Amino acid sequence: MFAIIETGGKQYRVQAGDVIFIEKIEGEAQSAVTFDKVALVADDNGTKVGAPYVEGATVSATLLKTGKGKKITVWTYRPKKGSQRKMGHRQLYSQVRIDAINA
């Protein structure tokens, strides 16, 4: 059984037991999280596709930790003007373990 959930403006294909990195969500470590924006649920009986979401379907998960990703360097400049700027960015993330898919 798998499902496609939407969180943080992105969609993820998940199964029970998966550990995924998603956009940062609020909460303490080891707390329960429920995703209710389920776009698709597939199991042995068939596939349910939502329009836009499957009604009554949820995905239960556990928030493992939150943190920052690797630093990326962004370099902007204007040619022939002598103007340049170097910036860095570290994206916030949450690590989540999928516990169950409730269809």
Side-chain angles (χ1 to χ4, degrees), residues 3-103:
I4 296 179
I5 62 170
E6 182 180 326
T7 180
K10 299 178 181 76
Q11 293 180 345
Y12 300 91
R13 181 185 187 273
V14 296
Q15 292 178 337
D18 284 353
V19 175
I20 60 173
F21 291 90
I22 61 173
E23 296 289 324
K24 183 177 185 268
I25 55 177
E26 296 299 321
E28 296 292 323
Q30 302 302 322
S31 64
V33 179
T34 302
F35 298 105
D36 56 351
K37 292 184 177 181
V38 180
L40 180 137
V41 176
D43 58 2
D44 297 336
N45 300 331
T47 303
K48 296 177 189 173
V49 180
Y53 304 115
V54 178
E55 294 208 20
T58 60
V59 174
S60 302
T62 303
L63 179 62
L64 299 177
K65 70 174 186 175
T66 58
K68 288 185 177 183
K70 294 182 78 173
K71 187 170 189 174
I72 63 167
T73 304
V74 181
W75 186 269
T76 62
Y77 74 102
R78 292 177 185 85
K80 302 175 188 165
K81 302 293 184 211
S83 173
Q84 55 194 1
R85 183 168 72 167
K86 181 180 177 183
M87 297 174 291
H89 176 74
R90 293 181 69 186
Q91 185 66 36
L92 300 175
Y93 70 87
S94 294
Q95 185 179 17
V96 176
R97 182 181 63 238
I98 306 299
D99 297 327
I101 298 171
N102 310 313

